[in-house]
Amino acid sequence: MSKVYNSFAKAVSDIRDGSTIIVGGFGLCGIPEKSIEALRESGVKDLTIASNNCGTDDQGLGILLANKQIKKMIASYVGENKIFEKQFLSGELEVELSPQGTLAERIRSGGAGIPGFYTATGVGTPIAEGKETKEFNGKTYLLEEGIVGDFALVKAWKADTLGNLVYRKTARNFNPLAAMAGKITIAEVEEIVEAGELKPEEIDTPGVYVQRVLLGTDYAKPIERLTVRKA
Amino acid sequence: MSKVYNSFAKAVSDIRDGSTIIVGGFGLCGIPEKSIEALRESGVKDLTIASNNCGTDDQGLGILLANKQIKKMIASYVGENKIFEKQFLSGELEVELSPQGTLAERIRSGGAGIPGFYTATGVGTPIAEGKETKEFNGKTYLLEEGIVGDFALVKAWKADTLGNLVYRKTARNFNPLAAMAGKITIAEVEEIVEAGELKPEEIDTPGVYVQRVLLGTDYAKPIERLTVRKA
Amino acid sequence: MDTRLTIVKRAVKEIQDGMNVNLGIGMPTLVANEIPADVNVLLQSENGLLGIGPYPVEGLEDADLINAGKETITTVPGSSFFDSAESFAMIRGGHIDLAILGGMEVSEKGDLANWMIPGKMVKGMGGAMDLVVGAKRVVVIMDHVSKHGESKVKKTCELPLTGLGVVDRLITDLAVFDFTDEGMVLVETSPGVTVEEVKEKTEAPFIISPDFIQS
Amino acid sequence: MDTRLTIVKRAVKEIQDGMNVNLGIGMPTLVANEIPADVNVLLQSENGLLGIGPYPVEGLEDADLINAGKETITTVPGSSFFDSAESFAMIRGGHIDLAILGGMEVSEKGDLANWMIPGKMVKGMGGAMDLVVGAKRVVVIMDHVSKHGESKVKKTCELPLTGLGVVDRLITDLAVFDFTDEGMVLVETSPGVTVEEVKEKTEAPFIISPDFIQS
């Protein structure tokens, strides 16, 4: 019952034109590099992608933008990408901006069977336009809807053969949420171990959320803003 | 800036009559034994308690019931308690039953600033009475509200002096959620270590949720149903 | 074979290799003992564990390691611990392949009542209401007829509901039914049980599956 | 002293021992460098870290350890990692004591605009909208007057809002204001700045605090 796949091409081969995909990562940290590359190779189009950011011009989800595979982007911040700007301004690309905390909760909710929840975030701002509001204890809240993906692409540090996942440092970010919200969740990792080698208390994402596990190699792990001090 | 208290009596001394308290634990597993005992000693009354269960006749929250300190109980299962039954039938005790998953999510929501969410759980059942419903994609869901406690009492395995908590096995259960939802969260543990001794990736409850930490000793840890096999 | 064992042995056939399964308290818990060794499943416990193992060896029980029935247990390789909100995210979010629960009444529309008898003390529904709406497949196991000789398979449930139209399959000591858009369908009878006997002891009307199996 | 440093040095006084603090991207990030050694605070990074440490020593940077500004960082003792939903549960649920954010415009009612200029490319709000409604105390730091000489402290914000009535305190290079039920209140002026100058450069009307401090 191993969930391990040997080919990224095969693991993404049933992602079709028009699919909705939730993608983990924050900026270029903890992004599923290899699955994104495989998606570019597959050439599927008209994708709706929910991810906090959309990569840079030549990294991360940016390579799917450059290849014109994305129809709609749901994100909280898309500022690092000139191709994004061009496609957005030309009307090629549809964009739904969602505040970061709302986006994280919408993805978790999708995975948790919660179709909608209320938040004070965005009340009185352009984000509230067209959304239902409701008062609780005299305060106004917005209704935000859960997001479910046909697929989710996540990057973890380690997996076991049952799909249990462990993340590394702040590369965790949106990945555990994306894993919950994919009908089919594809996890790529830097190391795969046998079931039982990860301690039950260290597992961040239980394997029940994960359908496919792949070993990635030669991760680029680009750093967007290198900030250091002298020794 | 240590959050460590030396006296349970002092740690619960500002819990007043009529307070709402969220209490961790599932059955008698992972319950904050010492804080509950201190509450009994304090004698505060008319408490509203949100907890999955209400202990047994002489264990856990049952000792507050026996002492007539609880006015209202919000729980999913209260079957192990004869005093509960008696007080409920006599009208002394108010009871709000909430399905276990709904209760867990209501407590998390309270802690997460979410005043309400929708769930399919309970639609068409007595639990739906008086609750708003809403359709998403043609399916009916109930509106359930978040729960915030004036206080939360939780039991963890280890803490550091900043209030970071680690739980043991299935004694985790409702404790991390209770910790999130208390305006003042009181955590009792079996071991307190210095900040930095718990690894950043092993912490289950970040100290930001915890205001007071206490070392408990001589935990009873009663087993409700001892089930074993021969060696 | 007593009726409990008949039901349990039939119920275990619902479990397929690779599934994540939640077994309810009581009779459903007994199903775990019957799972063949070559069928790999992870059993979920809604208090916060995926991967329940057998009962612990005497003397090695751990008060911090229990199942939803509050019994001491162990874990299997590949198990994971999590909090109760995560546990029900799994359940409500449709990530549990199969839930097997006990029942008091099941209606022809697949409504389930299994948590409350009016006039008696209300103990609470625990996680049952979440499980029946969340699990991908819901199988109810129960005696076909009550101790008082009444059919527990009803036109309409008389007891307060746990869930509305939530049962996929009902397994009793007499028969197996599926709940479909066409109505309640008899798919099997137990060894030595005739369709006539099932009809007689079933208040709800049902149709007979084209694939009906007479055991 | 340049105006940035004036603002940052005043902003750091908002930070008290024991606080959990979120510092926004840009000028607010600089506040971290000014926190006195005897003030213990944990800095939160909304991507999923409580307990940001200094920048790493050259060569020891880790691509898997960044802050919300995507800068390489380190951690302090007592830090914890978590996912982004947990991070915003903390923020939205009121567990972060203080958020210090940059601003484009602040209105006399404490409305904040800091994420979008119509006609220019929309980059997105990131976590700012969550922070302003969730943090227990919201302090905005910005220049008092724009490059074009216009007051950024407005009667009404002209730019699209980040949050409605969310600012507790505004710190500019000229003055410090609080937002109260009585309106916008001047509580301090910067060294060498008169109340007259503040009035002249502030579009919004304000009252002067009885505890007003002339630096």
Side-chain angles (χ1 to χ4, degrees), chain C:
Chain C
M1 202 153 71
D2 73 358
T3 62
R4 259 169 104 88
L5 198 58
T6 305
I7 294 171
V8 165
K9 282 197 179 291
R10 178 59 191 79
V12 77
K13 292 185 192 169
E14 301 295 318
I15 297 177
Q16 288 160 25
D17 198 40
M19 277 186 166
N20 298 286
V21 178
N22 185 293
L23 300 175
I25 293 166
M27 188 159 57
T29 300
L30 302 176
V31 175
N33 303 327
E34 304 296 327
I35 301 172
D38 63 339
V39 174
N40 289 300
V41 296
L42 287 176
L43 300 178
Q44 203 243 20
S45 188
E46 57 263 39
N47 47 325
L49 166 64
L50 184 65
I52 305 175
Y55 292 140
V57 168
E58 215 170 342
L60 293 183
E61 64 273 5
D62 182 341
D64 288 340
L65 183 49
I66 65 169
N67 65 15
K70 286 129 188 174
E71 299 173 329
T72 47
I73 50 164
T74 59
T75 58
V76 297
S79 63
S80 52
F81 297 121
F82 33 83
D83 67 49
S84 300
E86 179 76 45
S87 183
F88 283 92
M90 259 174 224
I91 290 169
R92 199 191 305 101
H95 305 279
I96 298 297
D97 299 297
L98 173 66
I100 302 182
L101 297 95
M104 293 173 179
E105 292 179 350
V106 170
S107 83
E108 61 167 318
K109 293 198 186 306
D111 300 344
L112 170 67
N114 75 348
W115 73 284
M116 182 184 170
I117 301 173
K120 286 207 180 176
M121 174 59 193
V122 179
K123 291 189 169 189
M125 70 297 286
M129 288 189 182
D130 305 282
L131 278 161
V132 295
V133 303
K136 275 185 204 149
R137 183 169 167 78
V138 173
V139 172
V140 170
I141 61 178
M142 67 177 189
D143 292 331
H144 205 100
V145 170
S146 77
K147 287 173 199 157
H148 312 295
E150 275 181 62
S151 174
K152 295 169 73 171
V153 190
K154 302 276 187 189
K155 279 184 184 158
T156 305
C157 291
E158 285 156 30
L159 296 171
L161 293 185
T162 306
L164 200 64
V166 292
V167 183
D168 293 297
R169 174 164 281 192
L170 169 64
I171 298 172
T172 75
D173 47 323
L174 302 184
V176 177
F177 297 97
D178 281 352
F179 297 84
T180 71
D181 291 346
E182 284 73 45
M184 189 169 120
V185 179
L186 178 69
V187 290
E188 289 175 37
T189 50
S190 297
V193 177
T194 63
V195 173
E196 271 317 298
E197 182 182 351
V198 174
K199 277 193 179 158
E200 199 176 295
K201 294 180 172 170
T202 305
E203 185 195 295
F206 57 85
I207 55 180
I208 296 173
S209 168
D211 303 320
F212 169 70
I213 295 165
Q214 172 93 55
S215 296

Side-chain angles (χ1 to χ4, degrees), chain D residues 89-112:
Chain D
M90 258 175 223
I91 290 169
R92 198 190 305 103
H95 306 280
I96 298 297
D97 300 297
L98 173 66
I100 302 181
L101 295 95
M104 293 173 179
E105 292 178 350
V106 170
S107 83
E108 61 167 317
K109 293 199 185 305
D111 302 342
L112 170 67

